[in-house]
Amino acid sequence: MTSINAGGAFYRVQNSINQNSENVSKSMQRLASGKQNIAPGDRTASSAVAFGVKGELASLKVGIQNATEVLQAVEMANNDLSMLNEMVVRLEELNALGGNAFNSTEDVAAITAEATAVLAEIALAQSNSQWKGTDIFGTSTTVKFGKSGGSLAVTLTTVAANGVTGAAVAAGTDATNIAALKTAVDAQMVAAGTLYNKAANTITHLGSLNAGYALDVASKMDVDFAGETTELAKGQILAQAGTAMLAQANAQGQGMLALIQS
């Protein structure tokens, strides 16, 4: 039996077209913005998780910057230690020179003056070894590497030329104290190298975390262009088919009208 309810097909098709149009619109917005979530109600839990990870990611990036600054500070300190080693070598030369019994009074005075100046320079070089106004030697500076990056205590001991004097060097009798000074400088060079390696390893570790967190945030917030493009194409095909079916549904109503008119 033919009834007026045949017009229901028209409304159902129209409803499907409206829903598909909304889906096509969302796909276009996602592709245009590059984001999965374009409305307040879209994947709210995923967004909350993503922003939590994004906070970790931001902290990690600063941590890498901090670790890089440690590298620069320690490298500067290591250069200063290399300079100290050269000074110690000069003291050894002066001590050997002072062991010559043929030295005149003027020779002894010259050796004493230079040795005293070198010892003063050893102390001055360490006191001037600063990074952004913070002493490197004789202090402990803790640098943090972000929320999940841990921290590192940057500590280098001040090298003191205990027992070494200009007069003793000029007399050629200070070899033992100079051998001890050399050992102390070498120990701090090893300590500086260890700090440098720790900071470099921290940067490598944080870089790996940074890449993983960035990928996690992208998977929750960035649009899947391939998938969304497929959905858009599907929606556009359905839109064309829906338009054709709407015409067919409308034709049903026209058929009934023709029947009534006849």
Side-chain angles (χ1 to χ4, degrees), residues 8 30 34 51 58 70 82 109 123 151 157-159 169 195 200 202 213 233 241 245 255:
R30 290 186 181 114
F51 274 107
V70 171
S82 295
S151 62
T157 303
T158 300
V159 177
V169 170
L195 286 173
T202 296
Y213 283 169
M245 292 305 100

Side-chain angles (χ1 to χ4, degrees), residues 5-194:
N5 286 333
F10 175 88
Y11 296 108
R12 287 193 290 272
V13 171
Q14 186 181 46
N15 184 56
S16 296
I17 290 176
N18 290 338
Q19 290 179 348
N20 183 64
S21 176
E22 181 66 21
N23 292 336
V24 169
S25 176
K26 286 183 178 180
S27 290
M28 294 176 69
Q29 290 179 63
R30 290 186 181 114
L31 289 170
S33 66
K35 301 297 181 183
Q36 290 185 29
N37 312 321
I38 55 173
D42 285 349
R43 304 176 178 89
T44 53
S46 295
S47 294
V49 173
F51 274 107
V53 178
K54 196 171 183 179
E56 291 271 3
L57 183 60
S59 179
L60 279 175
K61 289 180 178 179
V62 175
I64 292 174
Q65 295 172 5
N66 291 349
T68 301
E69 192 163 354
V70 171
L71 286 183
Q72 295 168 340
V74 173
E75 185 173 0
M76 180 206 69
N78 189 68
N79 291 337
D80 289 340
L81 286 167
S82 295
M83 183 171 59
L84 292 187
N85 252 329
E86 294 295 333
M87 295 178 188
V88 173
V89 169
R90 181 55 183 161
L91 286 176
E92 290 176 335
E93 292 176 341
L94 291 172
N95 189 70
L97 187 61
N100 184 357
F102 290 107
N103 288 337
S104 65
T105 301
E106 290 78 7
D107 294 336
V108 172
I111 295 171
T112 301
E114 183 178 351
T116 301
V118 170
L119 290 169
E121 188 63 25
I122 288 175
L124 183 62
Q126 294 178 87
S127 64
N128 286 341
S129 185
Q130 297 180 335
W131 184 258
K132 293 167 63 175
T134 299
D135 291 334
I136 300 297
F137 293 96
T139 61
S140 182
T141 305
T142 300
V143 179
K144 297 182 179 180
F145 303 128
K147 187 175 180 181
S148 303
S151 62
L152 178 63
V154 181
T155 304
L156 291 174
T157 303
T158 300
V159 177
N162 295 325
V164 184
T165 65
V169 170
T173 60
D174 231 359
T176 300
N177 289 332
I178 293 173
L181 177 59
K182 177 69 166 60
T183 299
V185 173
D186 288 344
Q188 291 314 300
M189 290 195 75
V190 171
T194 300

Side-chain angles (χ1 to χ4, degrees), residues 6-7 9-11 13 243-257:
F10 175 88
Y11 296 108
V13 171
T243 301
M245 292 305 100
L246 184 62
Q248 292 292 330
N250 189 50
Q252 281 189 335
Q254 294 296 328
M256 288 191 62
L257 182 60

